[in-house]
Structures are given as structure tokens and as C-alpha cells.
Amino acid sequence: MPLALLALAISAFGIGTTEFVMMGLLPNVAGDLGTSVPTAGYLVSAYALGVVIGAPLLTALGSRIPRKRMLVLLMGLFTIGNLASALAPTFGLLVAGRVLAGLPHGAFFGVGAVVAARLVTQGRQARAVATMFLGLTVANIVGVPTATLLGQHLGWRATFLVVAGIGLVAMAALTLLIPQLPRERHEGLGQELRALRDRQVLLGLLTAVFGFAGVFAVYSYLASMMTEVTGFSETSVTLVLALFGIGMTLGALVAGPLTDRALRPTLYGSLAALAAVLVLFDFTVHVKWAALATVVVLGAVGFMTTTPLQMLVMNKAQHAPTLASASNHSAFNLANAGGAWLGGVAIAAGWGWTSPTLVGAVLAVIGLAIAVTAGLLDRGGPGASRLVAAGSERMREAERVG
């Protein structure tokens, strides 16, 4: 694999750390800025809002910027956003800092996935994209727990200063390791927007919204489930989250080669496995060792969906994959927000702490149904296109003869 993928993985590590670390720092932020923990929870939503808005907006604005320069600029904005968060004197400015830090998230992964795919030969593209995503999974194993402990002992501002430092390191790595990639003649905002209207691209984004929402319906309440139902202490929650991160890493490692070999079957299999594991979790959550094992498997099958979904929208967008690729991360964050909301609705309705597992299973099944429908609609698509093209060619030939 090219060394340039390391620069993308380092960047993904920083992005993953700042995305998830806030969940562990909410009490510290609330106490320091004189607000409640539920109110401080808006900081999680603020970052997600930045991702949803920034992915299509920044990708569109940067459609004519060379991809290497675009990656460096996006990581620069990420660094500024985290620095602004660290220095924010009020809660309102911290919210603004979190939105700013989230803006480049989707656009970076969108552009980065296209760059990663172009750095390798045909047949290894999914593995290259999965390698970039490894930075995101390692962040959940190392970055988030370490940054949380740092924030708890030195203050939450220190956490965001360190993340800003990671951003600077990532900018240097991108500058030194990413090659200059020539622009394709057909690249441009108009072509990107037309590609985004493709039925298969839209169905792929919809699959991401529902399928990945199944993961976040449970992940958002995993800490509470482990303490309230399984019987773990609050100090053990960091270990549980790290195990989930290990599962994510395993899923990313497996998803790359499988997606290169058979994209749609990998997507179908991962979504079906996700639904099954979520149903199983409703039973294993009551036994400590079984719950921990299921957390690892849940992280693996949940993250296995990301690489085939990313490659699907890039392949279907073909000549203009950047905006579709970035929009996929907007879909993932909509899944984050929607899954967490639906899981919370189930708990608030009195269905119990384990109810998000069944909610998540239903969402995963809906995602699988959309993916299978898209696959059935896609059958004969390329063949039909070839027949139309051949027919048009014969008509032109007949006109020339006539």
C-alpha cells in the first residue's frame, strides 16, 4: 500500500478522536462552563450538524481545487475549529467551535476516499479506502480513551489543544506524502451534481442512513446499558468502548478485501449480520462475558458496512465521485442522529434500556431491504445501457450508408 495512505489515516485518526471524545467530556465541560450535562450534549449534535452541512457545501466550493490542496485546506479548517473549541470562553462559542470543526469532516473523507482509490491499482481500491478508515477505528481504541483521560486530569481544553496538534501533524503528512493527482477533464460541480441525482447513488445514501442508524441506536446508549443492565462499573465503560473500537478495526480490515472481491454481497452480508447481532445482544447483554464478546462483534459487523457503501456510491457516481462520496458521510451522521433519537424514544417510552437493540435491528433490516432493492434494480442496468448505445451506433451507421 502507498505511504500516502498513512497521511490519510493520521488525518482520520484526528477526526475520529475529536468526533467521539466529547461524549466522555460532557460532565467536565458542563461543570466548567456552568451548564447542565443534557445541555452540554448539544455539543455532540453541533459537530454532527457541521458534518451534514459541510460535506456537500465544502465539496461543492472546492470542486475546482486540486485534491491534494483541498485535503490540506480541509485539515487546516479542522485544526482551526479544534483550536477555537479549546479557547472558547463561553458555551455558545464552544458550540460554534464544534460546528466549525465538524464542517470539513465529510468533505475530507469524501475527497480522501477518491484519492485513496486512485493511489492503487484496480482491484485494491476498497482496501485502500478501508486503510484510510483504519485511522478512524484506531481513534476509538487509543485516541478517544487517551484524550478523555487527558481532559479529565488536565481539563477539557487540553484535549482540543492536543487534537489541534494532531491536525498540524496531519497537514504536514498530507503535504509531504500525497502526490499531485491530475484532474479529470469531466470533473466539475455540474457533473458532480448530476452524478448525485443518480438513482443508485441516492439508494446507496438511503441505505447508509437506515443501515448505519442501527449501529448508533445502540452505541449512543452502550455505556448506560453496560452499567444499568450488565452490571459494569462506570470506570469500566472506557474498556467497553475500546472493545467496540477493536471490533471496528477488525471490521475495517475484513471489509476491504471482501468489498474488492464482491461489493454487493459484502454489503448484504454485513447488514444481515448487523441485524442478527443486534437481536442477539438483547439476550447477551445480561451476561458480562457474553456482552463484551457481542460488543466486539457489533463493532466489527457495524463498521463492515462503511467500506462497501463508500465504494458503491463512488462506483455509481463514476466520473464525478467526490460529492457523492462526501454526501455519504452526511448520510452516516444523519444515521448517527436518527439512530440515537429513535433509541432514546424507545427508552423514554418505558421499553427498557435494552430496547435500542431491537430498534437497531429493525433499522438494519430496512437498510438491507433498500440495498437489496437497489441491487435488483441495478441488474441489467449496464447491459441495457450497452444495448441502447449499440442501437444508436447502428442508426448512425445506417444514416451514413443512406
Side-chain angles (χ1 to χ4, degrees), residues 281-337:
F281 198 21
D282 191 51
F283 299 94
T284 61
V285 71
H286 300 281
V287 182
K288 287 186 177 181
W289 68 266
L292 293 179
T294 309
V295 165
V296 176
V297 178
L298 177 60
V301 296
F303 207 77
M304 273 185 66
T305 63
T306 58
T307 299
L309 280 170
Q310 190 74 38
M311 294 305 300
L312 178 66
V313 297
M314 287 169 58
N315 290 346
K316 294 305 176 183
Q318 279 193 2
H319 301 305
T322 310
L323 185 56
S325 178
S327 297
N328 201 37
H329 290 275
S330 290
F332 283 140
N333 275 268
L334 287 174
N336 183 344

Side-chain angles (χ1 to χ4, degrees), residues 230-397:
T230 314
F232 283 104
S233 64
E234 292 185 1
T235 56
S236 302
V237 170
T238 301
L239 170 63
V240 175
L241 296 179
L243 288 175
F244 187 86
I246 290 173
M248 291 172 65
T249 303
L250 294 174
L253 289 170
V254 172
L258 288 178
T259 302
D260 277 328
R261 190 173 295 118
L263 193 156
R264 286 198 185 274
T266 301
L267 178 58
Y268 300 157
S270 60
L271 286 171
L274 175 60
V277 171
L278 286 169
V279 172
L280 179 65
F281 198 21
D282 191 51
F283 299 94
T284 61
V285 71
H286 300 281
V287 182
K288 287 186 177 181
W289 68 266
L292 293 179
T294 309
V295 165
V296 176
V297 178
L298 177 60
V301 296
F303 207 77
M304 273 185 66
T305 63
T306 58
T307 299
L309 280 170
Q310 190 74 38
M311 294 305 300
L312 178 66
V313 297
M314 287 169 58
N315 290 346
K316 294 305 176 183
Q318 279 193 2
H319 301 305
T322 310
L323 185 56
S325 178
S327 297
N328 201 37
H329 290 275
S330 290
F332 283 140
N333 275 268
L334 287 174
N336 183 344
W341 176 70
L342 289 172
V345 167
I347 294 172
W351 296 349
W353 284 107
T354 62
S355 58
T357 60
L358 300 181
V359 171
V362 171
L363 291 169
V365 169
I366 294 173
L368 175 60
I370 296 171
V372 171
T373 300
L376 293 173
L377 291 173
D378 200 31
R379 285 185 178 179
S385 298
R386 286 192 294 271
L387 286 173
V388 171
S392 298
E393 181 62 32
R394 285 194 295 270
M395 289 178 65
R396 286 192 294 271
E397 182 64 26

Side-chain angles (χ1 to χ4, degrees), residues 48-71:
L49 178 64
V51 179
V52 173
I53 295 173
L57 178 63
L58 294 183
T59 303
L61 291 175
S63 60
R64 295 191 176 278
I65 299 176
R67 289 199 168 105
K68 176 177 179 176
R69 187 185 306 169
M70 184 66 175
L71 289 172

Side-chain angles (χ1 to χ4, degrees), residues 16-324:
T17 299
T18 203
E19 179 180 14
F20 294 108
V21 75
M22 182 55 74
M23 298 172 186
L25 295 179
L26 291 182
N28 306 79
V29 173
D32 186 48
L33 296 180
T35 187
S36 66
V37 172
T39 300
Y42 292 143
L43 295 168
V44 177
S45 301
Y47 185 90
L49 178 64
V51 179
V52 173
I53 295 173
L57 178 63
L58 294 183
T59 303
L61 291 175
S63 60
R64 295 191 176 278
I65 299 176
R67 289 199 168 105
K68 176 177 179 176
R69 187 185 306 169
M70 184 66 175
L71 289 172
V72 175
L73 289 174
L74 289 169
M75 191 48 56
L77 181 58
F78 167 84
T79 303
I80 292 171
N82 281 280
L83 185 60
S85 298
L87 301 177
T90 65
F91 180 74
L93 289 175
L94 179 56
V95 170
R98 289 292 289 170
V99 172
L100 185 62
L103 285 174
H105 176 127
F108 183 90
F109 280 120
V111 176
V114 174
V115 170
R118 291 192 177 180
L119 290 172
V120 296
T121 57
Q122 188 74 25
R124 299 183 64 85
Q125 294 172 327
R127 269 168 278 199
V129 173
T131 299
M132 178 185 70
F133 283 138
L134 277 176
L136 193 63
T137 65
V138 171
N140 282 273
I141 303 173
V142 180
V144 172
T146 303
T148 301
L149 288 174
L150 179 69
Q152 291 171 346
H153 289 85
L154 298 180
W156 61 270
R157 297 180 189 277
T159 295
F160 293 109
L161 285 174
V162 169
V163 174
I166 295 173
L168 291 175
V169 172
M171 289 175 68
L174 292 168
T175 302
L176 294 173
L177 300 178
I178 299 293
Q180 294 287 355
L181 297 174
R183 284 177 53 82
E184 302 288 343
R185 287 184 304 170
H186 48 256
E187 289 176 354
L189 180 56
Q191 188 72 14
E192 295 278 357
L193 290 172
R194 283 191 292 275
L196 195 59
R197 293 197 298 267
D198 182 89
R199 181 176 63 182
Q200 287 295 321
V201 172
L202 293 175
L203 287 172
L205 297 177
L206 198 59
T207 302
V209 170
F210 281 95
F212 211 64
V215 178
F216 275 94
V218 173
Y219 182 77
S220 303
Y221 304 99
L222 187 58
S224 297
M225 290 169 61
M226 292 293 101
T227 55
E228 298 292 334
V229 179
T230 314
F232 283 104
S233 64
E234 292 185 1
T235 56
S236 302
V237 170
T238 301
L239 170 63
V240 175
L241 296 179
L243 288 175
F244 187 86
I246 290 173
M248 291 172 65
T249 303
L250 294 174
L253 289 170
V254 172
L258 288 178
T259 302
D260 277 328
R261 190 173 295 118
L263 193 156
R264 286 198 185 274
T266 301
L267 178 58
Y268 300 157
S270 60
L271 286 171
L274 175 60
V277 171
L278 286 169
V279 172
L280 179 65
F281 198 21
D282 191 51
F283 299 94
T284 61
V285 71
H286 300 281
V287 182
K288 287 186 177 181
W289 68 266
L292 293 179
T294 309
V295 165
V296 176
V297 178
L298 177 60
V301 296
F303 207 77
M304 273 185 66
T305 63
T306 58
T307 299
L309 280 170
Q310 190 74 38
M311 294 305 300
L312 178 66
V313 297
M314 287 169 58
N315 290 346
K316 294 305 176 183
Q318 279 193 2
H319 301 305
T322 310
L323 185 56

